[in-house]
Amino acid sequence: MQTWLKGKTPLLLEVLRYGISGIVVFTADYLTFFLCATYLIPSLPQIANIIGRLASAPVGYLMHNHFTFRQQSNDTRHAVKLSQYLGLLAFNMAITVAAYAIILSLFSQDVRLLRFATDILVMIIAYCASKFLIFR
């Protein structure tokens, strides 16, 4: 067992930190989405989805930058990482909005529950992009 873990511990800890960050970001995202989809704009679930994603974006950047990938503060690199993160956010939102629209058209379940299916796909893509493109 120790031989298998040797050299893999930092990656496992990073994945664990990514999961913890994901829970925090998802909570901010889904809470905003839930409030919008339930009380503020119940007839516009796709708009509620976008608002939730945008509301959680700053939380995600800060969590991943300082906790998940433990980046040190560097003003010149910070601007580059932030612009890359915003690009990833736009990409994730495009995937999420498209997948969510397809799921909404295929199923007549509660829109708040259908949102989970798109979140799993986006989480996997976002981890890979964050790890290998932004916070490397």
Side-chain angles (χ1 to χ4, degrees):
M1 179 74 165
Q2 287 181 342
T3 305
W4 181 81
L5 283 175
K6 192 172 191 172
K8 292 183 171 104
T9 305
L11 177 62
L12 292 174
L13 290 174
E14 186 176 273
V15 170
L16 179 63
R17 289 192 307 266
Y18 188 83
I20 293 168
S21 296
I23 290 169
V24 173
V25 173
F26 177 78
T27 301
D29 176 358
Y30 196 79
L31 183 60
T32 304
F33 166 78
F34 181 85
L35 292 172
C36 289
T38 304
Y39 301 110
L40 301 176
I41 49 173
S43 62
L44 301 170
Q46 290 181 330
I47 301 299
N49 181 37
I50 292 169
I51 292 169
R53 296 281 178 202
L54 291 174
S56 67
V59 176
Y61 179 77
L62 293 172
M63 288 290 297
H64 293 312
N65 190 48
H66 298 293
F67 178 67
T68 304
F69 301 108
R70 299 194 179 203
Q71 300 291 305
Q72 299 301 319
S73 187
N74 180 341
D75 291 335
T76 58
R77 182 81 177 115
H78 178 71
V80 172
K81 284 190 301 188
L82 181 58
S83 66
Q84 290 173 332
Y85 185 81
L86 292 175
L88 176 63
L89 176 66
F91 176 71
N92 284 347
M93 284 186 63
I95 290 171
T96 302
V97 168
Y100 191 58
I102 291 167
I103 288 172
L104 284 175
S105 69
L106 295 176
F107 301 100
S108 60
Q109 303 298 317
D110 186 337
V111 296
R112 296 164 295 197
L113 295 176
L114 293 175
R115 191 51 216 282
F116 285 109
T118 57
D119 287 334
I120 292 169
L121 172 65
V122 171
M123 181 188 72
I124 294 167
I125 293 169
Y127 172 77
C128 293
S130 294
K131 169 72 177 163
F132 299 111
L133 299 175
I134 299 172
F135 299 106
R136 52 185 167 188

